[in-house]
Amino acid sequence: MSAILELQGVKKAFGAVVVADDQSWSLAPGEALGVIGPNGAGKTSMFNLVTGTLRADAGQIRLGGQDITGWSAAKRCRAGIARSFQVPQPFAHMTVFENAYVAATQGAGLSGRAAEALCLDVLDRTGLIAKANGQAGGLTLLERKRLELSRALCARPRVILLDEIAGGLTEHECQSLIQTIRDVHATGVSIVWIEHVVHALLAVVGRLMVIDFGRKIAEGEPQAIMQSREVREIYLGIEADG
Amino acid sequence: MSLSVTRRTRLSTAWLIVLVPIVLLLIAAPWWAGRADLRLMGEIALYMSLAVLWNLLAGYAGLVSVGQQAYVGFGGYLFFALTMLAGLHPYAALPLVVLAGFVISAPVAVLIFRLRGAYFAIGTWVVAEVFRLSFAQMASLGGGSGTSLSPDIVRSLAEGRDAREAVAWWLALGAGMLVIGTVVWLLRSRQGVALTAIRDNELAARSLGIDIWRTKFTVYVVVSGLTALIGALIFLQKLRISPDAAFSANDWTAFVIFIVVIGGIGTLEGPILGTLVFFALRETLADLGTLYLIALGVVAIVIMLFAPRGLWGFLRDRWGLELFPLSRRVSGLAKKEA
Ligand SMILES: Nc1ncnc2c1ncn2[C@@H]1O[C@H](COP(=O)(O)OP(=O)(O)OP(=O)(O)O)[C@@H](O)[C@H]1O
Ligand SMILES: [Mg+2]
């Protein structure tokens, strides 16, 4: 089957700092891909390039076979790419429900009762429903991360990009997050998940990609990748948190 | 699940119920208010409209314009031109003024939206100056010294002075309700949801599918068209127009910013409350002469120090008050938790 998301020779540099160095990879429809790599490797930048928050210096990005390299971030979201921000970006003076409602009306293009029902359902699944009427600015960091996930889901994406949403959770919370993401995956949504909490990642993804200095240095079956020599070398610290 | 979403609160419902008799009372004003009071109330309605519109522009869309006098003056002049030069009835001219406001502000938006921050503000002021200089060139409208509305046009509004004062009041009241109604409707619509999101976080807004440029463009054009209508009514009340009065940055922007800032920027109720406070101050302090402006400045500074988000912002942060049902609340939560 042809890829839902595909990067080909994507490059991006900030002066001397190369955040994407000739990156090429693809995501099959319904696939869950995990991304690991040391701090500052360029993982978040890769999401910025895919969602259109950053413009690529070179290369091509395709969604469902269509070239979206020149599209705005808004258009990419409406076409089916949604993300969570590593550093949460809530609409601080709106309620939690209204934050979700923005995604449902603007990203998913729903209106009225359909939009409301989607938001209530998603907030229920992400465990934020009790806070629905609270101002988003008043949430704790962990709740803000859940709000990021909720908003991305309310945009009803074909591809969802998750950026470090499991850090700081208790084991119990982590298991429930894993279940939530599995449920999303089961509905056919393709997932790319950047995560330092490797055991959570391994519980969901079918393939793992390793990024360092903006380069894809390894890609394949998760267990094999974790065992591989290069990964263990550059990435010794990771087993400690995982 | 027994959850549902509503926008009404007990306060907003009570407010809507109170609003009905208030509006009826205001419509009946010509029968209970004197001529001077009626004029003052007309002025209040028109200022309130300017403040509500500027707040939508600056407080919601982040378009901090210091040049909305461009559209006040444009509307006033166009109204005089359409009635005196083109011979239209005032009632026919008013909707055309709104349309012309939409049409002229669209290319202006394309131009000034390229500017950011302080440059945007300066850009809006330059546009207003260009408008002023252009209208000062029009000899048929009195050039630099301006012109008066001809008596037969004034007479075509209604027979007799009292009837005309009543008509002028109803037009001002109607425009005020049109403006507030349009802003409420806009803020409750899909565009309004987008606008509120942009106000809070542009990065997140963009990433959730909101076309920021188009949303701001829509707001700028709608606000400018309605500002032109208010301009037409202001000079219909004054019966006389000149470039300096029509494009006065002091009258149509500085006072308006004062009103919005003390009332509470970025809330719908703020500019309404701010207008009432402004006129209360003006009516009590008017005898002070130029000291009056200094007094206004002091009031603004004091309010900014103690309630940085304005009077309504203060009330809202404290008690979560909201008169117009804009935000959506989930009801049935308590039951679920129990
Ligand atoms: N807008 C920017 N301007 C300049 N440099 C940037 C910008 N955004 C990111 N960088 C730099 O690019 C590099 C990659 O950053 P990025 O956030 O993509 O890393 P990451 O892999 O997500 O790291 P982490 O695991 O810490 O989240 C870093 O050195 C960062 O400082
Ligand atoms: Mg990152």
Side-chain angles (χ1 to χ4, degrees), chain A residues 53 73-74 77-78 81-83 85 89-95 97-99 101-103 105-107 109-110 113 116 120-121 124 129-130 132-133 151-152 155, chain B residues 1 3-6 189-191 193-194 196-212 214 309 316 326-331 333 336-337:
Chain A
T53 308
C77 175
R78 293 193 299 264
I81 302 178
R83 73 171 313 172
F85 284 97
Q89 304 286 335
F91 301 119
H93 299 291
M94 298 170 86
T95 67
F97 176 81
E98 287 169 334
N99 269 261
Y101 193 76
V102 171
T105 52
Q106 316 293 322
L110 297 175
R113 294 280 166 236
E116 291 171 4
L120 291 176
D121 177 50
D124 194 40
I129 194 73
N133 291 330
R151 278 197 318 205
Chain B
M1 217 171 12
L3 296 179
S4 62
V5 178
T6 113
S189 73
R190 227 178 102 83
Q191 289 273 342
V193 172
T196 318
I198 293 172
R199 179 194 66 180
D200 275 14
N201 190 325
E202 289 206 2
L203 173 62
R206 211 178 305 129
S207 303
L208 289 170
I210 296 171
D211 189 330
I212 294 187
R214 213 186 51 197
R309 282 147 66 68
R316 196 185 57 166
L326 290 183
S327 55
R328 293 173 174 78
R329 322 215 135 254
V330 179
S331 62
L333 281 178
K336 201 181 151 57
E337 282 161 76

Side-chain angles (χ1 to χ4, degrees), chain A residues 44 86 163-164:
Chain A
T44 299
Q86 180 180 355
D163 197 347
E164 300 197 21

Side-chain angles (χ1 to χ4, degrees), chain B residues 77 132 136 143-146 235 241-252:
Chain B
Y77 263 105
R132 185 176 68 85
S145 52
F235 291 96
I241 196 164
S242 69
D244 289 344
F247 297 95
S248 164
N250 211 23
D251 288 347
W252 315 128

Side-chain angles (χ1 to χ4, degrees), chain A residues 14 17 19 37-45 86 164 196:
Chain A
F14 295 109
V17 183
V19 293
N39 292 115
K43 305 180 297 296
T44 299
S45 301
Q86 180 180 355
E164 300 197 21
H196 284 303

Side-chain angles (χ1 to χ4, degrees), chain B residues 4-138:
Chain B
S4 62
V5 178
T6 113
R7 288 200 271 202
R8 264 174 279 134
T9 62
R10 225 180 287 155
L11 180 65
S12 76
T13 308
W15 167 243
L16 289 183
I17 292 171
V18 173
L19 208 54
V20 173
I22 291 180
V23 168
L24 290 176
L25 208 65
L26 289 176
I27 291 174
W31 288 279
W32 55 262
R35 203 179 268 171
D37 290 337
L38 213 52
R39 286 201 146 234
L40 177 63
M41 286 162 55
E43 207 189 340
I44 293 174
L46 295 174
Y47 255 103
M48 196 177 280
S49 308
L50 289 181
V52 167
L53 290 169
W54 189 82
N55 176 52
L56 184 65
L57 202 59
Y60 279 90
L63 297 168
V64 183
S65 166
V66 294
Q68 284 309 95
Q69 68 272 19
Y71 300 103
V72 173
F74 172 81
Y77 263 105
L78 189 67
F79 178 74
F80 275 51
L82 288 173
T83 51
M84 288 168 51
L85 304 181
L88 288 181
H89 191 277
Y91 294 144
L94 289 175
L96 286 181
V97 166
V98 180
L99 280 182
F102 292 154
V103 171
I104 192 99
S105 61
V108 171
V110 172
L111 201 69
I112 61 175
F113 278 19
R114 295 166 165 272
L115 306 172
R116 294 271 158 253
Y119 294 99
F120 175 81
I122 294 167
T124 59
W125 179 77
V126 170
V127 167
E129 280 305 288
V130 170
F131 274 44
R132 185 176 68 85
L133 293 171
S134 313
F135 281 99
Q137 296 306 309
M138 295 188 181

